[in-house]
Amino acid sequence: MQLDLDFDGRHVVVFGGTTGINFGIAHAFARQGAHLTVASRKAENVEAAIADLRRHGGKVFGTTADVRDFDAVGAALQASARQFGPIDVLVSGAAGNFLCEAKDMSSNGFRVVVDIDLVGSFHVLRQAHAHLRKPGASVINITAPQSFVPMRYQAHACAAKAGVDQLTRVLALEWGAQGVRVNSISPGPIDGTEGFRKLMAPSESEREAARNAVPLKRFGSLDDIANLALFLASPYASYISGALIPCDGGGALESVKPVLESAGAQI
Ligand code: COA
Ligand code: NAP
């Protein structure tokens, strides 16, 4: 089920927007009439995303850019502003991940995730600032439960996403006076995505246990996240800024349970 909100002719930029959750968000805005810019590293992902989005009507501009490359991000955003004008909605969601215990992680392995998730987010936000519609733009960072729930084998992603959350808060402070709202969405386990595949054990019994650990007893869908993005970008959210909003069926709350249990709490 998808929200019905009007984004006719609005310019929506989704960085890392060619696959998975971020592509689901791009798709939702395209279906609501927005002009879409999508960018990521791989030309084949960009081309497939453009073709799919165009099948649904709206105008689409796509380009390759690695968020680790400050100048490439700037050039991509310049080009998109030339196509569609000021940015009404900016979604920053490029990320990378793998499971690895901290004691076995190389310096480069830690750095690559921090570079993509945290430094990359800064590059996107910093380079987009000049092109944001002021007043009126809505900025949405895609964070993760790792930003506030410590997780084994996720030292890099926990550190990086915690930094992304602080970027959200600082930029909400700094950009509020210009009429720019900055918020984060923290998705729970979204079935069928690369992030889910990388972190989730493949056996059916373990999937079942993971599903049961979500208070709402189901994994999330692309529409669950896209609907929250549509809402946050809409006038209905015009007084929401600096918020970090979990969209996870309550899952991040449940993850404190083992900690409480090990401390002897009856829950
Ligand atoms: N376990 C341990 N270390 C790993 C690893 C793994 N599974 N995968 C990569 N690394 C290490 C590499 O060994 C390398 O370190 P080294 O130079 O010390 O050997 C470092 O990470 C960089 O790896 P590389 O493959 O060169 O990076 P990349 O820039 O090509 O790819 C990744 C970045 C590793 C994050 C890759 O998984 C990716 O592109 N991910 C995007 C998709 C994704 O993860 N989606 C989910 C989003 S939540
Ligand atoms: P995904 O499909 O792999 O999405 C990541 C996107 O970022 C891809 O489009 C990828 O495209 C792009 N990307 C990766 N590295 C990049 C780089 N260096 N520069 C530019 N673009 C880059 O994974 P996903 O699972 O949907 O995750 C999307 C977001 O949701 C991430 O921020 C993730 O942390 C968050 N999240 C996911 C889950 C989940 O259950 N899946 C849960 C919580 C949070 P290219 O490969 O073409 O670059």
PDB file of all heavy atoms in Angstrom, residues 117-118 121-122 125 141 143-144 147-148 158-174 182-184 242-244:
ATOM      1  N   ASP A 117      29.601   5.482   4.081  1.00  0.00           N
ATOM      2  CA  ASP A 117      28.391   5.838   4.835  1.00  0.00           C
ATOM      3  C   ASP A 117      28.480   7.246   5.437  1.00  0.00           C
ATOM      4  O   ASP A 117      27.534   8.032   5.319  1.00  0.00           O
ATOM      5  CB  ASP A 117      28.157   4.847   5.987  1.00  0.00           C
ATOM      6  CG  ASP A 117      27.820   3.435   5.509  1.00  0.00           C
ATOM      7  OD1 ASP A 117      28.193   3.078   4.378  1.00  0.00           O
ATOM      8  OD2 ASP A 117      27.187   2.692   6.272  1.00  0.00           O
ATOM      9  N   LEU A 118      29.595   7.540   6.087  1.00  0.00           N
ATOM     10  CA  LEU A 118      29.670   8.806   6.834  1.00  0.00           C
ATOM     11  C   LEU A 118      30.296   9.935   6.006  1.00  0.00           C
ATOM     12  O   LEU A 118      29.662  10.969   5.786  1.00  0.00           O
ATOM     13  CB  LEU A 118      30.459   8.593   8.133  1.00  0.00           C
ATOM     14  CG  LEU A 118      30.671   9.834   9.000  1.00  0.00           C
ATOM     15  CD1 LEU A 118      29.352  10.528   9.335  1.00  0.00           C
ATOM     16  CD2 LEU A 118      31.427   9.483  10.278  1.00  0.00           C
ATOM     17  N   SER A 121      28.108  10.606   3.069  1.00  0.00           N
ATOM     18  CA  SER A 121      26.911  11.402   3.402  1.00  0.00           C
ATOM     19  C   SER A 121      27.272  12.876   3.514  1.00  0.00           C
ATOM     20  O   SER A 121      26.546  13.742   3.007  1.00  0.00           O
ATOM     21  CB  SER A 121      26.300  10.940   4.732  1.00  0.00           C
ATOM     22  OG  SER A 121      25.847   9.619   4.632  1.00  0.00           O
ATOM     23  N   PHE A 122      28.393  13.158   4.178  1.00  0.00           N
ATOM     24  CA  PHE A 122      28.815  14.568   4.287  1.00  0.00           C
ATOM     25  C   PHE A 122      29.015  15.172   2.896  1.00  0.00           C
ATOM     26  O   PHE A 122      28.566  16.291   2.623  1.00  0.00           O
ATOM     27  CB  PHE A 122      30.091  14.710   5.122  1.00  0.00           C
ATOM     28  CG  PHE A 122      30.582  16.134   5.152  1.00  0.00           C
ATOM     29  CD1 PHE A 122      29.909  17.091   5.902  1.00  0.00           C
ATOM     30  CD2 PHE A 122      31.662  16.535   4.376  1.00  0.00           C
ATOM     31  CE1 PHE A 122      30.332  18.428   5.901  1.00  0.00           C
ATOM     32  CE2 PHE A 122      32.084  17.862   4.364  1.00  0.00           C
ATOM     33  CZ  PHE A 122      31.419  18.807   5.125  1.00  0.00           C
ATOM     34  N   LEU A 125      25.571  15.871   1.306  1.00  0.00           N
ATOM     35  CA  LEU A 125      24.855  16.968   1.961  1.00  0.00           C
ATOM     36  C   LEU A 125      25.559  18.300   1.697  1.00  0.00           C
ATOM     37  O   LEU A 125      24.926  19.310   1.376  1.00  0.00           O
ATOM     38  CB  LEU A 125      24.767  16.694   3.468  1.00  0.00           C
ATOM     39  CG  LEU A 125      23.991  15.411   3.823  1.00  0.00           C
ATOM     40  CD1 LEU A 125      24.333  14.949   5.231  1.00  0.00           C
ATOM     41  CD2 LEU A 125      22.499  15.613   3.676  1.00  0.00           C
ATOM     42  N   ASN A 141      18.209  11.540   5.457  1.00  0.00           N
ATOM     43  CA  ASN A 141      19.345  10.613   5.495  1.00  0.00           C
ATOM     44  C   ASN A 141      18.825   9.221   5.837  1.00  0.00           C
ATOM     45  O   ASN A 141      17.960   9.079   6.704  1.00  0.00           O
ATOM     46  CB  ASN A 141      20.352  11.054   6.556  1.00  0.00           C
ATOM     47  CG  ASN A 141      21.019  12.359   6.179  1.00  0.00           C
ATOM     48  OD1 ASN A 141      21.355  12.579   5.019  1.00  0.00           O
ATOM     49  ND2 ASN A 141      21.194  13.244   7.149  1.00  0.00           N
ATOM     50  N   THR A 143      19.646   6.104   7.713  1.00  0.00           N
ATOM     51  CA  THR A 143      20.557   5.594   8.724  1.00  0.00           C
ATOM     52  C   THR A 143      20.218   4.115   8.967  1.00  0.00           C
ATOM     53  O   THR A 143      19.717   3.436   8.072  1.00  0.00           O
ATOM     54  CB  THR A 143      20.492   6.486   9.988  1.00  0.00           C
ATOM     55  OG1 THR A 143      21.410   6.002  10.944  1.00  0.00           O
ATOM     56  CG2 THR A 143      19.117   6.542  10.591  1.00  0.00           C
ATOM     57  N   ALA A 144      20.507   3.588  10.152  1.00  0.00           N
ATOM     58  CA  ALA A 144      20.252   2.163  10.431  1.00  0.00           C
ATOM     59  C   ALA A 144      20.219   1.970  11.940  1.00  0.00           C
ATOM     60  O   ALA A 144      20.763   2.803  12.690  1.00  0.00           O
ATOM     61  CB  ALA A 144      21.351   1.299   9.815  1.00  0.00           C
ATOM     62  N   SER A 147      23.151   2.640  14.354  1.00  0.00           N
ATOM     63  CA  SER A 147      23.576   3.961  14.843  1.00  0.00           C
ATOM     64  C   SER A 147      23.371   4.092  16.351  1.00  0.00           C
ATOM     65  O   SER A 147      24.044   4.881  16.994  1.00  0.00           O
ATOM     66  CB  SER A 147      22.823   5.069  14.112  1.00  0.00           C
ATOM     67  OG  SER A 147      21.478   5.133  14.542  1.00  0.00           O
ATOM     68  N   PHE A 148      22.431   3.322  16.897  1.00  0.00           N
ATOM     69  CA  PHE A 148      22.221   3.417  18.352  1.00  0.00           C
ATOM     70  C   PHE A 148      22.150   2.063  19.047  1.00  0.00           C
ATOM     71  O   PHE A 148      22.171   2.003  20.274  1.00  0.00           O
ATOM     72  CB  PHE A 148      20.987   4.280  18.694  1.00  0.00           C
ATOM     73  CG  PHE A 148      19.702   3.807  18.071  1.00  0.00           C
ATOM     74  CD1 PHE A 148      18.806   3.038  18.788  1.00  0.00           C
ATOM     75  CD2 PHE A 148      19.397   4.148  16.764  1.00  0.00           C
ATOM     76  CE1 PHE A 148      17.613   2.612  18.204  1.00  0.00           C
ATOM     77  CE2 PHE A 148      18.213   3.719  16.172  1.00  0.00           C
ATOM     78  CZ  PHE A 148      17.324   2.955  16.886  1.00  0.00           C
ATOM     79  N   CYS A 158      28.355   0.570  12.755  1.00  0.00           N
ATOM     80  CA  CYS A 158      27.846   1.250  13.961  1.00  0.00           C
ATOM     81  C   CYS A 158      28.491   2.633  14.088  1.00  0.00           C
ATOM     82  O   CYS A 158      27.804   3.628  14.338  1.00  0.00           O
ATOM     83  CB  CYS A 158      28.127   0.415  15.207  1.00  0.00           C
ATOM     84  SG  CYS A 158      27.085  -1.050  15.357  1.00  0.00           S
ATOM     85  N   ALA A 159      29.817   2.673  13.920  1.00  0.00           N
ATOM     86  CA  ALA A 159      30.520   3.956  14.045  1.00  0.00           C
ATOM     87  C   ALA A 159      30.051   4.920  12.957  1.00  0.00           C
ATOM     88  O   ALA A 159      29.791   6.104  13.217  1.00  0.00           O
ATOM     89  CB  ALA A 159      32.025   3.733  13.953  1.00  0.00           C
ATOM     90  N   ALA A 160      29.925   4.415  11.728  1.00  0.00           N
ATOM     91  CA  ALA A 160      29.576   5.294  10.605  1.00  0.00           C
ATOM     92  C   ALA A 160      28.153   5.826  10.733  1.00  0.00           C
ATOM     93  O   ALA A 160      27.903   7.027  10.566  1.00  0.00           O
ATOM     94  CB  ALA A 160      29.739   4.531   9.289  1.00  0.00           C
ATOM     95  N   LYS A 161      27.197   4.955  11.050  1.00  0.00           N
ATOM     96  CA  LYS A 161      25.798   5.405  11.087  1.00  0.00           C
ATOM     97  C   LYS A 161      25.535   6.290  12.311  1.00  0.00           C
ATOM     98  O   LYS A 161      24.681   7.175  12.261  1.00  0.00           O
ATOM     99  CB  LYS A 161      24.848   4.210  11.043  1.00  0.00           C
ATOM    100  CG  LYS A 161      24.844   3.455   9.705  1.00  0.00           C
ATOM    101  CD  LYS A 161      24.222   4.249   8.556  1.00  0.00           C
ATOM    102  CE  LYS A 161      23.910   3.359   7.358  1.00  0.00           C
ATOM    103  NZ  LYS A 161      23.334   4.096   6.207  1.00  0.00           N
ATOM    104  N   ALA A 162      26.266   6.060  13.420  1.00  0.00           N
ATOM    105  CA  ALA A 162      26.141   6.989  14.557  1.00  0.00           C
ATOM    106  C   ALA A 162      26.568   8.387  14.114  1.00  0.00           C
ATOM    107  O   ALA A 162      25.944   9.392  14.470  1.00  0.00           O
ATOM    108  CB  ALA A 162      26.993   6.509  15.732  1.00  0.00           C
ATOM    109  N   GLY A 163      27.618   8.447  13.305  1.00  0.00           N
ATOM    110  CA  GLY A 163      28.066   9.734  12.772  1.00  0.00           C
ATOM    111  C   GLY A 163      27.025  10.354  11.851  1.00  0.00           C
ATOM    112  O   GLY A 163      26.795  11.567  11.882  1.00  0.00           O
ATOM    113  N   VAL A 164      26.376   9.523  11.047  1.00  0.00           N
ATOM    114  CA  VAL A 164      25.333  10.040  10.143  1.00  0.00           C
ATOM    115  C   VAL A 164      24.207  10.678  10.968  1.00  0.00           C
ATOM    116  O   VAL A 164      23.684  11.744  10.621  1.00  0.00           O
ATOM    117  CB  VAL A 164      24.779   8.910   9.233  1.00  0.00           C
ATOM    118  CG1 VAL A 164      23.543   9.371   8.463  1.00  0.00           C
ATOM    119  CG2 VAL A 164      25.859   8.422   8.263  1.00  0.00           C
ATOM    120  N   ASP A 165      23.839  10.045  12.087  1.00  0.00           N
ATOM    121  CA  ASP A 165      22.770  10.614  12.921  1.00  0.00           C
ATOM    122  C   ASP A 165      23.159  11.981  13.480  1.00  0.00           C
ATOM    123  O   ASP A 165      22.334  12.900  13.555  1.00  0.00           O
ATOM    124  CB  ASP A 165      22.431   9.671  14.086  1.00  0.00           C
ATOM    125  CG  ASP A 165      21.602   8.481  13.624  1.00  0.00           C
ATOM    126  OD1 ASP A 165      21.311   8.389  12.415  1.00  0.00           O
ATOM    127  OD2 ASP A 165      21.258   7.645  14.476  1.00  0.00           O
ATOM    128  N   GLN A 166      24.418  12.121  13.872  1.00  0.00           N
ATOM    129  CA  GLN A 166      24.849  13.432  14.375  1.00  0.00           C
ATOM    130  C   GLN A 166      24.878  14.459  13.249  1.00  0.00           C
ATOM    131  O   GLN A 166      24.559  15.632  13.473  1.00  0.00           O
ATOM    132  CB  GLN A 166      26.209  13.339  15.082  1.00  0.00           C
ATOM    133  CG  GLN A 166      26.127  12.726  16.474  1.00  0.00           C
ATOM    134  CD  GLN A 166      25.311  13.577  17.462  1.00  0.00           C
ATOM    135  OE1 GLN A 166      24.117  13.814  17.274  1.00  0.00           O
ATOM    136  NE2 GLN A 166      25.948  14.032  18.521  1.00  0.00           N
ATOM    137  N   LEU A 167      25.231  14.039  12.036  1.00  0.00           N
ATOM    138  CA  LEU A 167      25.153  14.965  10.896  1.00  0.00           C
ATOM    139  C   LEU A 167      23.718  15.458  10.723  1.00  0.00           C
ATOM    140  O   LEU A 167      23.486  16.649  10.482  1.00  0.00           O
ATOM    141  CB  LEU A 167      25.566  14.252   9.602  1.00  0.00           C
ATOM    142  CG  LEU A 167      27.020  14.285   9.165  1.00  0.00           C
ATOM    143  CD1 LEU A 167      27.170  13.554   7.833  1.00  0.00           C
ATOM    144  CD2 LEU A 167      27.514  15.721   9.023  1.00  0.00           C
ATOM    145  N   THR A 168      22.767  14.543  10.827  1.00  0.00           N
ATOM    146  CA  THR A 168      21.353  14.927  10.698  1.00  0.00           C
ATOM    147  C   THR A 168      21.009  16.013  11.711  1.00  0.00           C
ATOM    148  O   THR A 168      20.394  17.036  11.373  1.00  0.00           O
ATOM    149  CB  THR A 168      20.441  13.699  10.937  1.00  0.00           C
ATOM    150  OG1 THR A 168      20.705  12.739   9.918  1.00  0.00           O
ATOM    151  CG2 THR A 168      18.972  14.071  10.924  1.00  0.00           C
ATOM    152  N   ARG A 169      21.427  15.790  12.961  1.00  0.00           N
ATOM    153  CA  ARG A 169      21.066  16.750  14.013  1.00  0.00           C
ATOM    154  C   ARG A 169      21.764  18.094  13.806  1.00  0.00           C
ATOM    155  O   ARG A 169      21.151  19.155  13.945  1.00  0.00           O
ATOM    156  CB  ARG A 169      21.443  16.180  15.380  1.00  0.00           C
ATOM    157  CG  ARG A 169      20.657  14.933  15.764  1.00  0.00           C
ATOM    158  CD  ARG A 169      21.049  14.506  17.177  1.00  0.00           C
ATOM    159  NE  ARG A 169      20.317  13.358  17.644  1.00  0.00           N
ATOM    160  CZ  ARG A 169      20.832  12.126  17.750  1.00  0.00           C
ATOM    161  NH1 ARG A 169      22.078  11.878  17.399  1.00  0.00           N
ATOM    162  NH2 ARG A 169      20.099  11.132  18.201  1.00  0.00           N
ATOM    163  N   VAL A 170      23.056  18.049  13.470  1.00  0.00           N
ATOM    164  CA  VAL A 170      23.803  19.303  13.313  1.00  0.00           C
ATOM    165  C   VAL A 170      23.250  20.105  12.137  1.00  0.00           C
ATOM    166  O   VAL A 170      23.059  21.327  12.233  1.00  0.00           O
ATOM    167  CB  VAL A 170      25.308  19.023  13.120  1.00  0.00           C
ATOM    168  CG1 VAL A 170      26.059  20.281  12.737  1.00  0.00           C
ATOM    169  CG2 VAL A 170      25.909  18.430  14.401  1.00  0.00           C
ATOM    170  N   LEU A 171      22.959  19.416  11.025  1.00  0.00           N
ATOM    171  CA  LEU A 171      22.475  20.154   9.855  1.00  0.00           C
ATOM    172  C   LEU A 171      21.048  20.660  10.066  1.00  0.00           C
ATOM    173  O   LEU A 171      20.676  21.708   9.534  1.00  0.00           O
ATOM    174  CB  LEU A 171      22.599  19.300   8.598  1.00  0.00           C
ATOM    175  CG  LEU A 171      24.049  18.956   8.254  1.00  0.00           C
ATOM    176  CD1 LEU A 171      24.148  18.260   6.908  1.00  0.00           C
ATOM    177  CD2 LEU A 171      24.954  20.183   8.268  1.00  0.00           C
ATOM    178  N   ALA A 172      20.254  19.941  10.866  1.00  0.00           N
ATOM    179  CA  ALA A 172      18.929  20.472  11.207  1.00  0.00           C
ATOM    180  C   ALA A 172      19.085  21.793  11.962  1.00  0.00           C
ATOM    181  O   ALA A 172      18.324  22.749  11.747  1.00  0.00           O
ATOM    182  CB  ALA A 172      18.147  19.458  12.042  1.00  0.00           C
ATOM    183  N   LEU A 173      20.085  21.847  12.834  1.00  0.00           N
ATOM    184  CA  LEU A 173      20.366  23.097  13.562  1.00  0.00           C
ATOM    185  C   LEU A 173      20.827  24.195  12.605  1.00  0.00           C
ATOM    186  O   LEU A 173      20.352  25.324  12.654  1.00  0.00           O
ATOM    187  CB  LEU A 173      21.499  22.872  14.582  1.00  0.00           C
ATOM    188  CG  LEU A 173      21.183  22.211  15.911  1.00  0.00           C
ATOM    189  CD1 LEU A 173      22.483  21.968  16.688  1.00  0.00           C
ATOM    190  CD2 LEU A 173      20.241  23.092  16.728  1.00  0.00           C
ATOM    191  N   GLU A 174      21.785  23.843  11.754  1.00  0.00           N
ATOM    192  CA  GLU A 174      22.409  24.877  10.922  1.00  0.00           C
ATOM    193  C   GLU A 174      21.516  25.338   9.771  1.00  0.00           C
ATOM    194  O   GLU A 174      21.580  26.487   9.358  1.00  0.00           O
ATOM    195  CB  GLU A 174      23.742  24.352  10.355  1.00  0.00           C
ATOM    196  CG  GLU A 174      24.801  24.179  11.450  1.00  0.00           C
ATOM    197  CD  GLU A 174      26.188  23.855  10.920  1.00  0.00           C
ATOM    198  OE1 GLU A 174      26.346  23.686   9.689  1.00  0.00           O
ATOM    199  OE2 GLU A 174      27.114  23.768  11.720  1.00  0.00           O
ATOM    200  N   VAL A 182      15.861  18.668   8.036  1.00  0.00           N
ATOM    201  CA  VAL A 182      16.794  17.532   7.885  1.00  0.00           C
ATOM    202  C   VAL A 182      16.373  16.438   8.867  1.00  0.00           C
ATOM    203  O   VAL A 182      16.319  16.680  10.082  1.00  0.00           O
ATOM    204  CB  VAL A 182      18.251  17.961   8.169  1.00  0.00           C
ATOM    205  CG1 VAL A 182      19.212  16.803   7.860  1.00  0.00           C
ATOM    206  CG2 VAL A 182      18.636  19.195   7.360  1.00  0.00           C
ATOM    207  N   ASN A 183      16.069  15.263   8.344  1.00  0.00           N
ATOM    208  CA  ASN A 183      15.624  14.139   9.177  1.00  0.00           C
ATOM    209  C   ASN A 183      16.293  12.845   8.721  1.00  0.00           C
ATOM    210  O   ASN A 183      16.894  12.795   7.645  1.00  0.00           O
ATOM    211  CB  ASN A 183      14.095  13.981   9.059  1.00  0.00           C
ATOM    212  CG  ASN A 183      13.351  15.170   9.639  1.00  0.00           C
ATOM    213  OD1 ASN A 183      13.367  15.385  10.855  1.00  0.00           O
ATOM    214  ND2 ASN A 183      12.721  15.976   8.784  1.00  0.00           N
ATOM    215  N   SER A 184      16.181  11.807   9.555  1.00  0.00           N
ATOM    216  CA  SER A 184      16.710  10.479   9.184  1.00  0.00           C
ATOM    217  C   SER A 184      15.629   9.431   9.304  1.00  0.00           C
ATOM    218  O   SER A 184      14.825   9.466  10.238  1.00  0.00           O
ATOM    219  CB  SER A 184      17.778  10.003  10.160  1.00  0.00           C
ATOM    220  OG  SER A 184      18.935  10.693  10.073  1.00  0.00           O
ATOM    221  N   GLY A 242      15.265  17.405  12.397  1.00  0.00           N
ATOM    222  CA  GLY A 242      16.215  16.856  13.376  1.00  0.00           C
ATOM    223  C   GLY A 242      15.752  15.542  13.974  1.00  0.00           C
ATOM    224  O   GLY A 242      16.308  15.074  14.964  1.00  0.00           O
ATOM    225  N   ALA A 243      14.738  14.913  13.348  1.00  0.00           N
ATOM    226  CA  ALA A 243      14.188  13.662  13.911  1.00  0.00           C
ATOM    227  C   ALA A 243      14.855  12.442  13.284  1.00  0.00           C
ATOM    228  O   ALA A 243      15.149  12.426  12.091  1.00  0.00           O
ATOM    229  CB  ALA A 243      12.681  13.599  13.660  1.00  0.00           C
ATOM    230  N   LEU A 244      15.087  11.436  14.116  1.00  0.00           N
ATOM    231  CA  LEU A 244      15.616  10.144  13.661  1.00  0.00           C
ATOM    232  C   LEU A 244      14.486   9.147  13.854  1.00  0.00           C
ATOM    233  O   LEU A 244      14.160   8.803  14.983  1.00  0.00           O
ATOM    234  CB  LEU A 244      16.827   9.734  14.486  1.00  0.00           C
ATOM    235  CG  LEU A 244      17.862  10.847  14.731  1.00  0.00           C
ATOM    236  CD1 LEU A 244      18.919  10.397  15.723  1.00  0.00           C
ATOM    237  CD2 LEU A 244      18.499  11.262  13.422  1.00  0.00           C
TER     238      LEU A 244
END
